[in-house]
Amino acid sequence: MEFWITQAFNGISYGALLFLLAGGLSLIFGMMRIVNMTHGSYYLLGGYVGLSAIWRGANFPLAILAGALAIALVGVGEWNAFLKRLGGQELGQVLTTMGFALIFQDLALIIWGGDPYTIPVPAMLSGAAAVAVILWLVLEQTRVGAMMRATVDDPEMARGVGINVYRISMIVFALGAFLAAVAGVVAGGFVGVYPGADFEILPYAFVVVIVGGMGSLKGALVGSLLVGLLDNFGKALFPELLYFTLFAPMAAILAVWPTGLFGRA
């Protein structure tokens, strides 16, 4: 019984971490329809920036803020310079963001080296539920959230009613990068910060968004917990079948609900 309880708690903890990452990806990929392969890089760079802040005497909350704000600015720069011109061009988005992901990976290796690091975290740390509530309130209960939804659903009509589509899109993209960086700093205290973490965790984030339903934060939350539990129990019970225990249920879910658990047709 202790084994099952321990693995369940570990799976839920990992699911909460995945939600921080997948919540941002749900905004960028699910709502804006931008295939952003750089999202894992935001996670990795956020962890490294947070680590550098810790080295310079910052406490953990300040390290999270430093990493998140720095990577949000990186996301704004990438959006302004490249991605705003690639709306609806999935191949161009994949090639551009994959190129940036490889560049960011090499830069991180040059700046921070190839050694794994761990970020010291407070004894009590739980914030994924608060993030979920805040995001839901912003998107569903505020004027800014209404403008975001209008921009995603019908940008031409949104422009017609006076919404600054360019500014709203930039804010959404920056928010997604911000959340990915927060996940990177938090993850640094549990799984560490190391080269390759970006491409290691990115498929899990995409699985969460696809299973939960593109653009659905509720789906991202449920999908994160589901993937976290499947991954943890799969590693513990069937380590040689890890990817099967993760992707087989995903395929089964999509066979029944092609748009994901909470996605819209």
Side-chain angles (χ1 to χ4, degrees), residues 81-172:
F82 299 96
L83 295 179
K84 69 179 181 181
R85 301 178 179 87
L86 295 175
Q89 302 180 44
E90 288 80 7
L91 180 59
Q93 294 169 4
V94 169
L95 293 176
T96 300
T97 56
M98 179 59 77
F100 271 108
L102 295 174
I103 291 171
F104 289 148
Q105 187 179 65
D106 287 344
L107 287 175
L109 194 60
I110 292 170
I111 296 172
W112 288 282
D115 295 329
Y117 298 101
T118 300
I119 298 176
V121 300
M124 297 297 293
L125 179 66
S126 59
V131 172
V133 172
I134 291 171
L135 284 176
W136 180 82
L137 289 174
V138 169
L139 290 177
E140 301 293 336
Q141 304 295 322
T142 68
R143 179 178 174 81
V144 173
M147 290 191 291
M148 287 181 181
R149 298 195 305 274
T151 297
V152 171
D153 291 338
D154 193 336
E156 294 301 324
M157 183 63 72
R159 289 190 185 94
V161 298
I163 296 175
N164 189 326
V165 171
Y166 164 76
R167 182 181 300 170
I168 293 295
S169 298
M170 183 176 66
I171 290 173
V172 171

Side-chain angles (χ1 to χ4, degrees), residues 212-238:
M214 293 176 61
S216 170
L217 286 176
K218 179 169 63 174
L221 180 59
V222 173
S224 296
L225 294 175
L226 179 62
V227 170
L229 290 169
L230 286 173
D231 179 73
N232 202 70
F233 277 106
K235 287 177 179 176
L237 298 174
F238 311 103

Side-chain angles (χ1 to χ4, degrees), residues 155-208:
E156 294 301 324
M157 183 63 72
R159 289 190 185 94
V161 298
I163 296 175
N164 189 326
V165 171
Y166 164 76
R167 182 181 300 170
I168 293 295
S169 298
M170 183 176 66
I171 290 173
V172 171
F173 197 89
L175 180 58
F178 183 97
L179 291 174
V182 171
V185 181
V186 173
F190 298 95
V191 298
V193 184
Y194 53 90
D198 46 354
F199 287 105
E200 182 179 302
I201 200 168
L202 184 62
Y204 288 86
F206 273 107
V207 168
V208 167

